[in-house]
Amino acid sequence: MTVEVPNVSIDELVLHGRVRLEDLVDREGLDELCQTFVTLFGIPVRIYSSEGALLGGVAGEQELCAYVNTTTQGRKACAAIVGTVKAREPDGTGDVVTTCFTGAAYRILALEYDGRRVGRLIVGPFLPNNVVDVPASLLGVDPSVAKDRAWSLLGKMPLAKAETITRIAAHFKAALDLILFSGHKALITNKMHLASVRESYRQLEEKTTRLQEAFDRLKELDRLKSNFLATVSHELRTPLTSIIGYSEMLSEGLAGEMKPEQHEFVKTIHDKGEQLLSLIMGLLELSKLESGTMRMTMRTIRIDPVLSDVVSTLTPAARKRVIKLELDIGPNLPDLRGDPDRLRQVFLNLVENATKFTPEGGSITLRARTVEAESDGTEEEAGLSLLAPTRTRVEVRVIDTGIGIPAHERPKVFDPFYQVDSSTTREYGGAGLGLSIVKRLVEAHGGTIRIEENRPRGTVFVVSLPQAPLSAAQATSAT
Ligand SMILES: Nc1ncnc2c1ncn2[C@@H]1O[C@H](COP(=O)(O)OP(=O)(O)OP(=O)(O)O)[C@@H](O)[C@H]1O
Ligand SMILES: [Mg+2]
């Protein structure tokens, strides 16, 4: 929807703006005001804008005028007088009288607001009280005008003294002034409100444009970064594989026996090479996940073999650190849709972390449970949510009794390279990439990951994965 907001400056509104009668009071209001005066004083009044447009007033022909209009010459003279009255501007005093050939008069008064002329008030026709006989101009306008008839109709005209008209005009102006004042106030408030809405709208639009530009720039930078990382990682991997391979050959004595010290040096080269390789592999995976080029083979799988495999792979490492590693699989776990190798990678990472950050004598449990979640209504069954089956999820918890993660650090540990303790004296290895890869892999499976506290100590990582979509036959039997 487009909102039209007029372009009005405050200066224009309050200081130098031209106030127009018709902007301040509606026609109905002006008509009502005129009607009140006619009822009170019996003299017609009309209001004209400064451009000469009739804004309000009480019409109704005087009987004398109707009579004069029946004659050819009278009609012409009458039209001329009406034209003069309509067009006549009051002079400097703001008050002028036009006398008709019938002897009736019109007072034309300037209407002012805030020191500026905004229109004219025309009071009349009325018969000034000094008219004592049928004026010669009326008798002479057309030979068919009859004196007696003219005199009797003159008597039906509203009679008024000049002072009475002055008083009526003053009352009228005072009443109009009041109406104009409140109308002006309402107009200013209205326009100021519109101006401020317009300004806010403009600012908002400006900010949105700036945000969009920044967002586009960041997206482009992010894409460049991912491409760069992918290329660099790939190029680094090849020479590194040679370094690792040759150091292994040296260790195995393929190039002749080495002294113990040489052995130690070569071992360091090998270990650091492996460390660097895993960092490069991590970067490569992250950039593939970020750019959406990671290849995953999704199929319907069971999660228990994946978790058993993780436990058996990491049991030796846990045992070495005197940590108890247990697997606890709940009943009736539903099938999931996923890539088992990637899910294995997720839980290997989490259990490796748990092992790394749990002191000797601690324990780690890998627990899988079925959780019934209400349908989120976003799928086809939206609108039929009462009939829709609940969406089952599997929650896998990696529970350790380790050093724990403070609540305020929990959202940050999923950022690449973020480590809770990043000091140089940090006793745990790693680059800080594991969890960022884990989170993206879980999300690629339509899942979520969160961290909870383990009481009295330790951390719980909760990975929640949706059940594989039901086949049509299963869906029918489920409802
Ligand atoms: N189970 C845990 N207990 C306590 N802190 C943890 C645990 N898991 C992760 N963290 C904290 O989160 C940080 C990020 O973990 P992440 O796996 O991303 O990196 P890393 O293990 O330090 O390095 P990498 O996984 O790349 O080898 C860790 O450095 C650690 O501070
Ligand atoms: Mg890790």
Side-chain angles (χ1 to χ4, degrees):
M1 189 182 69
T2 331
V3 182
E4 278 287 320
V5 186
N7 194 354
V8 191
S9 75
I10 303 297
D11 188 52
E12 197 182 310
L13 278 173
V14 185
L15 301 173
H16 312 296
R18 247 186 83 229
V19 183
R20 295 185 341 143
L21 249 179
E22 51 270 50
D23 291 340
L24 301 182
V25 195
D26 57 15
R27 270 204 63 128
E28 264 176 41
L30 292 174
D31 259 346
E32 236 172 84
L33 181 68
C34 295
Q35 185 64 60
T36 314
F37 272 77
V38 174
T39 314
L40 272 175
F41 304 107
I43 300 177
V45 283
R46 282 162 191 245
I47 299 177
Y48 284 87
S49 73
S50 31
E51 280 89 28
L54 178 67
L55 298 179
V58 177
E61 213 178 14
Q62 296 292 325
E63 282 188 53
L64 177 64
C65 305
Y67 172 60
V68 169
N69 271 322
T70 57
T71 69
T72 322
Q73 295 308 318
R75 201 163 37 246
K76 274 191 199 154
C78 193
I81 280 291
V82 170
T84 312
V85 171
K86 269 192 189 167
R88 191 154 181 204
E89 269 299 324
D91 53 15
T93 62
D95 187 349
V96 78
V97 177
T98 297
T99 307
C100 176
F101 62 91
T102 56
Y106 295 87
R107 274 282 277 280
I108 304 161
L109 298 119
L111 292 175
E112 291 184 343
Y113 182 73
D114 206 18
R116 264 165 288 198
R117 282 209 180 166
V118 289
R120 287 171 304 140
L121 171 69
I122 299 179
V123 185
F126 61 91
L127 196 64
N129 64 338
N130 55 1
V131 177
V132 289
D133 198 0
V134 180
S137 51
L138 173 52
L139 289 175
V141 78
D142 193 282
S144 62
V145 172
K147 187 171 180 184
D148 288 356
R149 179 110 171 93
W151 181 241
S152 85
L153 292 178
L154 268 174
K156 289 187 177 179
M157 278 252 175
L159 195 67
K161 283 196 247 169
E163 307 88 79
T164 315
I165 298 293
T166 309
R167 264 205 322 276
I168 292 176
H171 279 315
F172 192 94
K173 283 183 179 177
L176 187 65
D177 220 35
L178 215 69
I179 296 175
L180 289 185
F181 178 68
S182 44
H184 195 193
K185 226 167 74 176
L187 183 78
I188 288 185
T189 315
N190 217 354
K191 289 198 174 173
M192 275 171 72
H193 177 68
L194 282 175
S196 89
V197 168
R198 196 174 142 267
E199 179 58 16
S200 314
Y201 181 75
R202 193 190 59 73
Q203 283 176 2
L204 200 69
E205 227 177 18
E206 233 172 54
K207 278 188 189 147
T208 313
T209 314
R210 278 210 302 272
L211 271 177
Q212 184 62 49
E213 282 168 7
F215 178 70
D216 290 346
R217 246 192 340 264
L218 281 177
K219 236 169 58 179
E220 176 60 13
L221 281 177
D222 204 47
R223 199 186 58 78
L224 288 176
K225 184 205 73 182
S226 293
N227 282 353
F228 173 75
L229 277 180
T231 316
V232 168
S233 315
H234 194 263
E235 294 304 315
L236 282 176
R237 219 165 40 161
T238 322
L240 200 55
T241 320
S242 299
I243 293 173
I244 293 169
Y246 279 105
S247 61
E248 264 170 4
M249 279 155 61
L250 282 175
S251 291
E252 285 163 14
L254 292 183
E257 267 312 301
M258 286 190 298
K259 292 182 198 157
E261 203 181 15
Q262 286 170 326
H263 249 304
E264 208 177 300
F265 288 177
V266 172
K267 185 175 178 308
T268 307
I269 293 172
H270 182 263
D271 289 351
K272 296 292 170 193
E274 288 282 7
Q275 205 178 325
L276 196 55
L277 186 63
S278 89
L279 174 64
I280 288 168
M281 295 298 283
L283 278 175
L284 194 58
E285 286 206 335
L286 192 63
S287 61
K288 277 187 188 166
L289 278 165
E290 282 184 345
S291 60
T293 52
M294 164 79 76
R295 281 247 295 271
M296 282 196 253
T297 326
M298 299 298 225
R299 53 194 165 88
T300 305
I301 54 157
R302 298 196 56 77
I303 193 71
D304 16 336
V306 174
L307 299 179
S308 310
D309 184 74
V310 169
V311 169
S312 55
T313 307
L314 290 178
T315 297
R319 198 168 289 156
K320 216 158 122 191
R321 300 208 52 231
V322 202
I323 292 171
K324 200 159 73 181
L325 176 55
E326 284 180 340
L327 180 62
D328 171 8
I329 305 272
N332 306 324
L333 291 184
D335 287 349
L336 304 178
R337 186 158 177 79
D339 180 331
D341 290 338
R342 296 299 172 191
L343 286 177
R344 182 173 177 276
Q345 190 184 350
V346 164
F347 295 107
L348 268 178
N349 246 299
L350 293 175
V351 178
E352 257 168 14
N353 274 355
T355 319
K356 190 157 65 171
F357 298 105
T358 300
E360 282 194 3
S363 71
I364 299 167
T365 309
L366 199 55
R367 178 177 297 157
R369 290 286 184 272
T370 307
V371 177
E372 296 294 338
E374 284 298 320
S375 163
D376 58 9
T378 52
E379 304 197 357
E380 296 144 19
E381 69 263 33
L384 291 171
S385 49
L386 282 178
L387 300 175
T390 49
R391 294 279 276 155
T392 306
R393 299 179 77 85
V394 172
E395 278 194 354
V396 183
R397 290 181 143 71
V398 182
I399 308 162
D400 68 44
T401 57
I403 59 171
I405 303 177
H408 67 277
E409 297 280 5
R410 287 177 202 159
K412 296 188 236 168
V413 293
F414 296 106
D415 291 343
F417 300 108
Y418 191 86
Q419 295 178 311
V420 174
D421 171 15
S422 55
S423 63
T424 47
T425 54
R426 177 186 157 98
E427 56 178 295
Y428 314 99
L433 283 179
L435 285 180
S436 51
I437 295 173
V438 163
K439 183 167 192 277
R440 284 167 175 79
L441 283 175
V442 169
E443 285 170 354
H445 281 80
T448 58
I449 182 166
R450 62 179 194 272
I451 302 174
E452 292 173 356
E453 196 168 322
N454 188 21
R455 289 181 197 272
R457 65 194 315 262
T459 312
V460 184
F461 276 86
V462 188
V463 176
S464 171
L465 296 164
Q467 175 189 15
L470 296 178
S471 68
Q474 283 171 307
T476 319
S477 67
T479 46

